[in-house]
């Protein structure tokens, strides 16, 4: 295919840093989970107790799926199989959309098309990049687990689940990019499909929940309608079944074939799903630059808030399962490693989950402040600023929305946990916001210095996730202390306004002010 090799080199060069970071991060997370399980569950009795507690709690089953065997791998990797496979699918899907529909919006695709290049070379190059990333993560993860002493067949099966899930959702994203006329719409359609797949899998697992101490049965029919359900039924470290990967491969082939056929025949910038013409006149509510910024992020904020509310409700419902493990010192140690602390195991659990969700909230802040960079690169900011709009006011509106959006999403998380846990846990959830705002400020400052550095926020966030398991990776103690998430008190009952918290607030405020000042001192998209 003409131009495929050159386009692939370009794509890999653009993403070489973040691809390396994500690869190392996923391998580190898998190694950390297995290492923690080995030290947490010292005997078969503790494994069987943990497997029963995880498989008999509806909230845990809906979030992570059931445990199909009381082995170290099956119990220890419960959060990794479905949830992190879905996260990998999200990552590969967003990469594909970035190099397809987003490049069409920015004009890069038109510049490439002016050279001797096949029409299907850019989308195929984006797909190959995601396939290579997924396979690399799957293979290196399997080899790492085998090197740690895990079961060989189970390790290979686990790596195959991650690789297959990343590939099938990359193919789905490729199709979404051909169906819609904009990158935002493509991401929305993709997120809807990924979320629907996760929901169907959860419904299928919960519908056959057992509470008699026996191993889980085959999932309900809903799970068989979901690619995530197929991947889960590979059952790593339990039955190690390979045949559920076959429908994933078949679905991938269908998605790719349809997407490439559409890409070869449609006009540049066009899509199958037509966009409405919209109103003839704008709403009075769009009379300011702040209102326009709010309108750009409204759907994102609503989606994250609803999702956090649901996740919070699921976390709050896990209390009974956590109480069943109250006598397991290893479980307490594992949760404290994730950022939890407190007098009871349940408080330790909530503190750990609030710390983990704070990192997800930081991703929302990074995404919003990076929108300003995207507006510059696409040229839309230039059109807006050609009118009577101050550049500082325009950029400050994005920073303001980022701060407010992270607050609202975290508030929704606290409300969801409080409703199902029957206790007030909103304040501990909000306690992590200073760390979230520090990461947001770093991303904003990097993007304000130059739009080319907009990925710095994601790299810092990935490093913070790695610092969370610094002890497992045998890193020095001072490494973990570099993460702002290690300096906030998310456990229930702890003092919120500490010296460390106030320092983080000052750093975040200074970073946001510096970002606003830096933005006004350079040319657009410089």
């Amino acid at each position: 295919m003409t131009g495929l090799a050159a386009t692939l080199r370009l794509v890999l060069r653009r993403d070489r840093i973040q691809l390396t970071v994500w690869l190392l991060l996923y391998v580190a997370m898998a190694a950390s989970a297995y290492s923690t399980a080995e030290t947490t569950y010292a005997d078969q009795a503790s494994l069987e107790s943990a497997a029963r507690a995880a498989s008999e709690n509806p909230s845990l089953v809906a979030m992570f799926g059931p445990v199909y065997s009381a082995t170290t791998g099956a119990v220890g990797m419960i959060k990794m199989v479905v949830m992190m496979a879905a996260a990998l699918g999200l990552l590969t899907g967003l990469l594909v959309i970035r190099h397809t529909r987003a490049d069409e919006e920015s004009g890069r695709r038109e510049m490439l098309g002016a050279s001797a290049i096949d029409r299907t070379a850019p989308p195929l190059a984006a797909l190959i990049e995601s396939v290579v990333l997924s396979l690399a993560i799957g293979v290196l993860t399997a080899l790492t687990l085998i090197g740690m002493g895990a079961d060989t067949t189970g390790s290979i099966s686990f790596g195959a689940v991650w690789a297959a899930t990343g590939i099938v959702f990359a193919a789905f994203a490729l199709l979404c990019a051909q169906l819609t006329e904009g990158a935002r719409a493509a991401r929305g359609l993709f997120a809807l499909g990924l979320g629907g797949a996760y929901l169907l899998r959860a419904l299928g697992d919960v519908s056959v929940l057992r509470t008699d101490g026996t191993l889980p049965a085959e999932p309900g029919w809903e799970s068989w309608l979901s690619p995530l359900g197929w991947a889960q039924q590979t059952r790593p470290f339990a039955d190690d079944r390979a045949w559920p990967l076959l429908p994933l491969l078949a679905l991938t082939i269908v998605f790719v074939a349809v997407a490439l056929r559409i890409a070869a025949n449609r006009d540049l910038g066009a899509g199958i799903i037509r966009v409405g013409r919209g109103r003839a006149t704008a709403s009075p509510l769009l009379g300011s630059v702040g209102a326009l910024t709010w309108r750009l992020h409204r759907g994102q904020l609503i989606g994250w808030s609803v999702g956090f509310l649901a996740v919070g409700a699921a976390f709050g419902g896990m209390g009974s399962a956590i109480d069943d493990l109250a006598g397991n010192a290893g479980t307490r140690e594992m949760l404290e490693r994730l950022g939890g602390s407190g007098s009871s195991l349940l408080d330790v659990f909530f503190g750990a989950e609030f710390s983990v969700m704070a990192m997800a909230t930081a991703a929302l802040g990074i995404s919003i402040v990076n929108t300003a960079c995207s507006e510059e690169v696409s040229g839309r900011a230039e059109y807006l600023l050609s009118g009577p709009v101050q550049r500082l006011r325009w950029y400050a509106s994005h920073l303001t929305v980022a701060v407010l959006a992270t607050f609202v999403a975290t508030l929704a998380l606290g409300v969801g946990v409080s409703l199902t846990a029957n206790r007030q846990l909103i304040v501990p959830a909000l306690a992590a916001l200073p760390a979230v705002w520090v990461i947001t400020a770093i991303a904003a400052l990097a993007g304000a210095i130059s739009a080319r550095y907009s990925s710095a926020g994601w790299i810092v966030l990935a490093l913070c996730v790695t610092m969370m398991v610094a002890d497992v990776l045998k890193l020095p103690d001072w490494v973990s202390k570099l993460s702002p998430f290690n300096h906030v008190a998310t456990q229930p009952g702890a003092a919120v306004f500490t010296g460390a918290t106030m320092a983080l607030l000052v750093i975040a405020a200074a970073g946001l002010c510096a970002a606003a000042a830096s933005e006004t001192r350079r040319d657009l998209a410089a």
Side-chain angles (χ1 to χ4, degrees), residues 257-283:
V258 175
L260 293 181
R261 179 65 181 270
I262 297 174
N265 291 279
R266 68 175 176 86
D267 292 334
L268 188 66
I272 302 300
I273 302 176
R274 293 181 176 272
V275 178
R277 301 180 65 180
R279 296 182 179 181
T281 58
S283 168

Side-chain angles (χ1 to χ4, degrees), residues 391-465:
R391 186 169 176 181
L392 178 61
R393 186 178 179 185
W394 164 75
Y395 192 70
S397 68
H398 285 277
L399 301 182
T400 303
V401 171
V403 171
L404 293 178
T406 51
F407 173 82
V408 172
T410 306
L411 179 63
L413 175 68
V415 170
V417 176
S418 301
L419 288 175
T420 52
N422 296 319
R423 54 188 295 198
Q424 194 283 116
L425 293 170
I426 296 178
V427 173
L430 295 175
L433 279 176
V436 172
W437 289 335
V438 167
I439 301 299
T440 303
I442 292 174
L445 181 58
I449 293 174
S450 175
R452 295 172 296 183
Y453 303 149
S454 59
S455 61
W458 297 111
I459 296 174
V460 172
L461 181 59
L463 292 175
C464 289
V465 175

Side-chain angles (χ1 to χ4, degrees), residues 15 17-27 29 83-99 126-127 129-134 137 162 165-171 173-174 187 190-191 194 458 462:
D15 295 335
I17 296 178
Q18 63 171 307
L19 291 179
T20 303
V21 171
W22 286 116
L23 174 61
L24 297 177
L25 180 60
Y26 260 84
V27 174
M29 285 191 298
M83 175 168 283
M84 295 313 300
L88 178 58
L90 177 64
L91 169 63
T92 57
L94 293 180
L95 281 175
V96 169
I97 294 174
R98 179 192 180 196
H99 293 295
L127 178 65
E129 178 194 43
S130 292
V131 170
V132 170
L133 174 63
S134 300
I137 289 177
W162 271 8
T165 305
I167 292 172
V168 72
F169 280 105
L174 186 66
R187 296 186 188 104
F190 172 74
L194 178 60
W458 297 111

Side-chain angles (χ1 to χ4, degrees), residues 227-242:
L228 290 174
W230 304 343
Q232 177 186 263
Q233 289 311 304
T234 304
R235 301 186 182 183
F237 302 104
D239 299 327
D240 296 317
R241 304 186 295 190

Side-chain angles (χ1 to χ4, degrees), residues 101-113 268 377-378:
R101 183 56 67 174
D103 275 358
E104 288 191 35
E105 283 190 336
S106 66
R108 289 194 186 95
R109 175 65 181 85
E110 188 174 9
M111 292 177 63
L112 288 174
L268 188 66
V377 174
S378 65

